[in-house]
Amino acid sequence: MVKINFDATANGRKMSFGLVARDHDGFVLNGRVGVMNKNVKGEWAELHALEESISFARTKNWLKLEFESNCVSLVNQLNRTKADFSTMGH
């Protein structure tokens, strides 16, 4: 099992992302970072980071994957929860 933790941020017309892949013992296997000239909101930057994570895993031929993100709205959408609590209090 390979666990990929990804994160992204958007600022103006640039977005940046990073990902770290670890094995079941927590040993770092590899990682990737990038900056792109895209004017997107935070959730779209996170989605792009997920796409990069999937592409990265495919290049390594890893089959058993677990993805981790701190973007609640993206996680809720992917898990298809009925209630989205990401906007509560905002």
Side-chain angles (χ1 to χ4, degrees):
M1 174 69 75
V2 176
K3 182 177 187 178
I4 299 178
N5 182 295
F6 63 92
D7 199 6
T9 187
N11 186 7
R13 296 182 181 199
K14 290 193 184 271
M15 64 155 282
S16 57
F17 69 90
L19 62 96
V20 176
R22 298 177 186 268
D23 68 8
H24 63 280
D25 290 325
F27 182 75
V28 175
L29 300 173
N30 216 321
R32 181 183 283 180
V33 296
V35 177
M36 301 181 75
N37 291 320
K38 285 190 173 185
N39 187 11
V40 296
K41 293 188 179 186
E43 287 85 5
W44 287 103
E46 292 280 347
L47 183 60
H48 181 75
L50 174 59
E51 288 179 296
E52 287 289 331
S53 299
I54 293 168
S55 296
F56 181 71
R58 290 182 75 194
T59 64
K60 300 294 185 183
N61 293 321
W62 293 329
L63 301 176
K64 293 184 178 183
L65 301 169
E66 181 178 319
F67 295 98
E68 182 177 67
S69 173
N70 62 354
C71 182
V72 175
S73 60
L74 177 63
V75 171
N76 284 345
Q77 289 296 318
L78 293 173
N79 287 332
R80 299 180 193 259
T81 58
K82 293 186 178 170
D84 183 0
F85 298 109
S86 62
T87 58
M88 290 185 72
H90 296 284

